[in-house]
Amino acid sequence: MTYLSQFQYYTNSGTIPTDENWGSYQYVKLQDIVNNFMLMYNDNHNIINNEERYKVLFHAKRAIQELNYDAFKEIKALQLTVDVALRFILPSDYVNWVRISLYKDGYIRPLTENIQVASAHEYLQDDTGKILFSQNGEILMPQYSGLDHDRIMGSKKSIYLNKNNPMFNGVYGYCCDGAWYFDYHSRARFGLNTETANANPTFTIDKQAGVINFDSTMANEECILEYVSDGMANGNDGEVSVNKLFEEFVYAYIRYAIISSRLGVQEYIVSRARKEKSALLRNAKIRISNIHPGRLLMNLRGRDKWIK
Amino acid sequence: MIDEVYSTVLSVLNKNNYGYVTPADFNLFATQAQLSIFEDFFYSYNHQINKENMRQSGIGYADIKSGIEQDIAIFAKTQVLDQPASTTNTANLYNLPLDYYFVNKLYFYPTLLYSGTTTAEVAGKLVDTTLNQFVITAPGIPESPPVGSIVVNTSPIGAPTDPMLTAYVTAVDSVSELSLSADIMSTGAIPYVGQDYRIYDANNIVEVEKVSQYKIFNLTSSQLTAPTRTYPAYVLSEGVSETATVYPSTINKKGDVICQYIRYPKTPKWTYNLVASTPIFNASAPDYQDFEVPEDNQVDLISLILQYSGMSIREVEIYKFGATQDMNETQSEE
């Protein structure tokens, strides 16, 4: 890959999108990684020779996937309105979630994952409990199970301290801007279960269905999903890239992956490759952690604050 | 070189009145001997690499491997691959060159800049006044196609089996005319027959990787490593004419794929005129063909031809002499 001129970097040479190259210098493309590896590490005089490119490509992609899961700090965010069925469909490149928040009144409120089941399938049954089938032998199911129906209609009670919690019924409170607040001094409760002590809406993730299910208090609300992907750019190899701080690790990962599965390679060489890979990952993680002394100082300034 | 070899062979054979090898026989033996030496290049190359890895080889004058590489490079050739007539521009099939011995690499031009048909014949130029699609350089606007772009004439100029010709863009003369590094659009036909052309970006040329038949469908089914235009793959298929099937199947245009390969050496032919019933060497004959292996292989050629001649005239001594010479030569090279 050639270096970009300033004109190309800032304006993409006048081609839309003009911001195409902004920040691109942080990354090295998958194409370059594979090309460099084939050029530098796969040769008649190297430990690795006669290795097919598709194997190198496979290991390079696997390394990038692994890095995306935990080492990179590249968290994607998607904001959507929760639909009438109280669902948020997971994005196409979703692998795992980091944080789910309600965006309301200008505040981002982190939501709590509900520890109870929020959605279920249901089979239709007759009055004797027998499961009903169609003429084709397919099992009959309603659109929503009873649990889902109650959750969507808002009649499902919550164990969390939000407005679906029956404990709040009959309790004195104050309504301010549509939200209820309660004065615990008048009826203090002891033995609070802190696990469920959150007034915000709750969610559960149905991985098989590919949706996030919310309780009824999230209906038509704005939800922000922060999540990690695997960096595969939806299969567009030309867009797959990796931060330069991890470039050497990716080479080491590929080397190790190939050497460790090769016949006749001495164990000390495999071991050396493994150690090299681990050390490079550790180094890269430290480098990318960005521990800035200035920010640390600001946090530490709070150490002398008086706690009332 | 061929005349020296023939003369030497005749000289050795005649020394003890063993016999005589006719030019026709010599040409047959010469073909076999050259092929044998040609094939040995690859084994010697591999042998030298192993020696290098064992630190038994040096650099400079001791770099035997480079010498063999140069020997093989004589036969290296690059050619744009044609397609079977029935599937031109529709299927991902490409004909391999007729004279290939070993396909080294296939390459794919992923970025097509322009295509069209020429409208006039100007030596060393590409003229297309139909589309007027080229861009002349101006302040803030780069020329297009850039100098160095690859131009392929996808219409066969000679026989249908002739390879497609390629050249580089050396200048954008106008919106309808390019200067080329070689005259690949002239046909000499009157009236001029328009030539189909394709112009490719010279950057980001990608290698098409060879994959075994038994692995290709695993590969195409793989989510992570399925062939793409960035990482294409091919399999060789054998038939009446050997073809390469390139994946993904969207690579299916004539001119998209080029082949770097090692060809077979041309068949040597000692040509002659009969003067008083004696064949006299004639290097001007149209079918004359010298040996193509480098001159340092002359001793090997003579030894091998003597062996074949010894077997032909049933003289064990000749065969033994040739074989001993060949063995000594091989040992000294190792």
Side-chain angles (χ1 to χ4, degrees):
Chain A
M1 184 183 158
T2 52
Y3 287 94
L4 297 175
S5 68
Q6 297 285 44
F7 180 67
Q8 287 171 318
Y9 177 78
Y10 285 108
T11 67
N12 195 20
S13 303
T15 311
I16 295 172
T18 52
D19 59 356
E20 175 82 3
N21 298 320
W22 296 356
S24 60
Y25 199 66
Q26 300 167 82
Y27 299 97
V28 55
K29 284 181 179 289
L30 173 68
Q31 206 173 342
D32 286 326
I33 287 177
V34 173
N35 194 42
N36 291 343
F37 191 91
M38 296 300 289
L39 199 60
M40 298 298 166
Y41 299 107
N42 184 29
D43 192 54
N44 283 327
H45 304 310
N46 288 110
I47 296 170
I48 297 169
N49 68 340
N50 295 340
E51 199 57 86
E52 286 92 349
R53 186 185 61 194
Y54 64 79
K55 289 187 183 174
V56 173
L57 175 65
F58 172 77
H59 293 307
K61 284 188 169 182
R62 286 290 304 119
I64 293 172
Q65 283 181 324
E66 289 296 328
L67 289 172
N68 269 275
Y69 299 150
D70 59 0
F72 287 165
K73 295 190 163 184
E74 304 211 358
I75 294 162
K76 293 185 165 189
L78 176 66
Q79 180 177 342
L80 286 178
T81 304
V82 176
D83 67 14
V84 289
L86 298 176
R87 290 176 313 187
F88 183 112
I89 300 169
L90 296 174
S92 59
D93 56 348
Y94 169 90
V95 172
N96 201 6
W97 65 283
V98 176
R99 186 163 44 203
I100 296 168
S101 310
L102 162 66
Y103 183 60
K104 189 173 184 179
D105 304 330
Y107 290 101
I108 296 172
R109 303 182 193 175
L111 303 185
T112 309
E113 187 175 16
N114 200 319
I115 56 173
Q116 291 186 316
V117 65
S119 181
H121 291 300
E122 187 174 342
Y123 299 147
L124 289 183
Q125 294 168 289
D126 66 11
D127 52 1
T128 61
K130 286 183 180 171
I131 294 172
L132 301 178
F133 294 89
S134 71
Q135 286 181 330
N136 299 327
E138 293 162 349
I139 210 157
L140 293 174
M141 297 169 72
Q143 184 183 6
Y144 296 116
S145 67
L147 178 66
D148 280 310
H149 181 267
D150 287 353
R151 180 173 56 82
I152 292 166
M153 300 307 292
S155 55
K156 179 176 174 291
K157 305 302 179 194
S158 173
I159 60 169
Y160 289 81
L161 298 182
N162 58 29
K163 67 182 180 185
N164 286 340
N165 189 319
M167 286 184 189
F168 287 100
N169 285 336
V171 176
Y172 287 108
Y174 311 93
C175 183
C176 180
D177 294 335
W180 281 91
Y181 299 91
F182 298 93
D183 189 350
Y184 287 105
H185 289 295
S186 59
R187 294 177 67 179
R189 291 187 290 121
F190 297 96
L192 179 70
N193 181 4
T194 54
E195 191 182 5
T196 58
N198 193 302
N200 287 324
T202 59
F203 67 90
T204 53
I205 296 183
D206 188 341
K207 292 175 186 167
Q208 291 293 322
V211 295
I212 305 170
N213 291 310
F214 292 95
D215 65 33
S216 62
T217 58
M218 271 296 276
N220 300 315
E221 297 285 3
E222 290 295 312
C223 175
I224 300 172
L225 167 66
E226 291 166 81
Y227 68 102
V228 287
S229 184
D230 64 353
M232 289 295 106
N234 284 326
N236 186 350
D237 287 344
E239 289 183 7
V240 177
S241 58
V242 63
N243 193 296
K244 281 178 178 168
L245 299 178
F246 288 92
E247 185 179 354
E248 198 57 39
F249 163 74
V250 176
Y251 297 138
Y253 181 98
I254 300 168
R255 265 201 313 273
Y256 169 68
I258 291 172
I259 287 172
S260 64
S261 59
R262 241 183 191 209
L263 193 69
V265 179
Q266 296 93 327
E267 187 52 35
Y268 73 91
I269 293 177
V270 178
S271 178
R272 191 171 71 198
R274 188 179 60 245
K275 284 176 187 166
E276 192 181 359
K277 169 185 76 97
S278 305
L280 284 167
L281 178 62
R282 203 161 42 242
N283 281 354
K285 277 183 173 177
I286 292 168
R287 279 178 179 172
I288 210 164
S289 63
N290 278 346
I291 302 171
H292 288 290
R295 207 167 69 204
L296 201 60
L297 186 65
M298 284 184 72
N299 288 337
L300 290 174
R301 276 177 182 148
R303 73 189 188 278
D304 294 332
K305 272 180 69 177
W306 282 63
I307 299 169
K308 289 182 182 176
Chain B
M1 182 167 64
I2 194 167
D3 190 44
E4 290 171 43
V5 172
Y6 188 35
S7 304
T8 310
V9 167
L10 287 181
S11 170
V12 172
L13 291 177
N14 286 335
K15 185 175 178 246
N16 295 319
N17 293 324
Y18 282 127
Y20 175 74
V21 171
T22 64
D25 284 346
F26 172 79
N27 285 335
L28 289 175
F29 300 153
T31 305
Q32 294 304 314
Q34 180 170 249
L35 271 178
S36 175
I37 289 167
F38 172 73
E39 290 200 327
D40 276 350
F41 286 158
F42 299 92
Y43 293 105
S44 304
Y45 184 66
N46 190 45
H47 180 68
Q48 286 304 322
I49 285 171
N50 290 336
K51 285 184 80 170
E52 272 192 359
N53 285 334
M54 290 186 284
R55 300 194 63 81
Q56 293 178 352
S57 180
I59 59 170
Y61 296 127
D63 189 359
I64 309 296
K65 187 189 79 175
S66 292
I68 301 172
E69 275 176 345
Q70 286 166 20
D71 290 348
I72 294 174
I74 295 169
F75 304 95
K77 208 172 163 187
T78 302
Q79 185 176 310
V80 180
L81 293 186
D82 204 347
Q83 292 184 293
S86 57
T87 56
T88 299
N89 293 329
T90 55
N92 50 339
L93 275 178
Y94 290 87
N95 291 333
L96 293 172
L98 297 172
D99 58 347
Y100 91 89
Y101 167 77
F102 173 75
V103 174
N104 193 22
K105 301 272 184 191
L106 290 195
Y107 294 101
F108 166 56
Y109 296 137
T111 314
L112 176 70
L113 300 175
Y114 299 98
S115 64
T117 306
T118 56
T119 52
E121 179 170 353
V122 179
K125 306 278 185 188
L126 184 156
V127 182
D128 181 1
T129 52
T130 311
L131 299 172
N132 289 334
Q133 54 187 339
F134 309 129
V135 180
I136 310 169
T137 185
I141 301 171
E143 67 203 352
S144 182
V147 169
S149 300
I150 298 159
V151 183
V152 180
N153 179 345
T154 55
S155 301
I157 287 179
T161 51
D162 279 359
M164 287 174 275
L165 301 176
T166 60
Y168 297 98
V169 174
T170 55
V172 180
D173 304 332
S174 70
V175 293
S176 60
E177 187 176 300
L178 304 176
S179 290
L180 305 180
S181 60
D183 185 20
I184 62 167
M185 295 298 171
S186 298
T187 61
I190 300 173
Y192 178 66
V193 180
Q195 299 292 295
D196 296 333
Y197 66 87
R198 289 169 76 82
I199 303 175
Y200 299 93
D201 190 343
N203 298 315
N204 300 322
I205 296 170
V206 295
E207 182 189 334
V208 187
E209 184 178 28
K210 186 181 177 186
V211 177
S212 315
Q213 286 277 9
Y214 77 97
K215 281 216 169 175
I216 186 64
F217 294 119
N218 294 119
L219 194 69
T220 54
S221 309
S222 161
Q223 193 182 29
L224 285 182
T225 57
T228 62
R229 290 173 75 87
T230 315
Y231 301 106
Y234 77 95
V235 287
L236 290 177
S237 21
E238 291 179 9
V240 178
S241 68
E242 291 189 23
T243 54
T245 308
V246 179
Y247 295 88
S249 55
T250 52
I251 300 175
N252 55 19
K253 295 288 182 290
K254 199 173 175 181
D256 281 2
V257 177
I258 55 172
C259 177
Q260 196 275 315
Y261 68 103
I262 304 297
R263 64 170 174 80
Y264 275 104
K266 291 173 184 164
T267 305
K269 190 160 189 184
W270 188 85
T271 47
Y272 59 95
N273 291 328
L274 278 177
V275 178
S277 300
T278 306
I280 304 296
F281 179 57
N282 174 22
S284 312
D287 54 345
Y288 163 72
Q289 179 60 54
D290 201 355
F291 287 111
E292 287 196 295
V293 291
E295 198 140 347
D296 61 318
N297 293 286
Q298 190 167 331
V299 177
D300 296 327
L301 280 171
I302 293 167
S303 304
L304 284 168
I305 293 170
L306 280 174
Q307 286 179 52
Y308 299 138
S309 306
M311 283 192 287
S312 171
I313 60 177
R314 299 185 181 182
E315 282 294 344
V316 180
E317 289 297 317
I318 293 292
Y319 175 83
K320 279 183 180 170
F321 173 73
T324 310
Q325 283 292 102
D326 188 34
M327 196 169 66
N328 290 342
E329 187 73 14
T330 307
Q331 279 176 353
S332 67
E333 283 176 3
E334 287 182 357

